Amino acid sequence: MSDMYCPKCKTLLNNDEKASGKCFNCGASFSSVLPEEKKNTQTSDAISNENTVGGILKAIGILILIIGTIGSIVIAGGDGYRYEFSFARFILPEIGTIVSGMMFLGFAEIIQLLQDIKNKLK
């Protein structure tokens, strides 16, 4: 923090006075945040409003759905010598793919909702 003076008695304020927003010498109240600190706080708030964890979980969920479905098709395709699609070999891995992918998408949505609540409380 830079040097800050009381607006009323013009004494140099210590860190406790700056944090409390009150001059201990004369009792004057003032804004404890400097203009440049306000700018930094607003910048950090804008950065924290982004939901990177939710975005990452959503991307992972979509990748699980895509790669899992491709894997299920490959597994159901046959034994390597001939291609004969088997629905029974397709459905079990596909169910696992859908459940796990949807869980990731659900967690991403929950995190997004929690972020929205946090932003509204500010």
Side-chain angles (χ1 to χ4, degrees), residues 53-54 56-62 64-65 94-112:
V53 174
I56 290 170
L57 287 176
K58 187 180 249 182
I60 290 172
I62 292 170
I64 287 173
L65 289 171
E94 187 62 19
I95 289 172
T97 296
I98 291 172
V99 168
S100 60
M102 288 299 169
M103 283 181 61
F104 271 91
L105 291 175
F107 286 139
E109 186 65 26
I110 289 170
I111 290 174
Q112 180 62 48

Side-chain angles (χ1 to χ4, degrees), residues 36-67:
E36 58 268 4
E37 290 175 358
K38 282 185 183 178
K39 191 186 317 179
N40 292 341
T41 304
Q42 290 170 350
T43 305
S44 67
D45 286 346
I47 291 170
S48 68
N49 287 342
E50 297 175 13
N51 191 356
T52 55
V53 174
I56 290 170
L57 287 176
K58 187 180 249 182
I60 290 172
I62 292 170
L63 282 174
I64 287 173
L65 289 171
I66 292 170
I67 294 172

Side-chain angles (χ1 to χ4, degrees), residues 108-120:
E109 186 65 26
I110 289 170
I111 290 174
Q112 180 62 48
L113 290 171
L114 290 172
Q115 182 72 38
D116 291 344
I117 291 170
K118 177 186 169 199
N119 292 342
K120 285 182 181 180

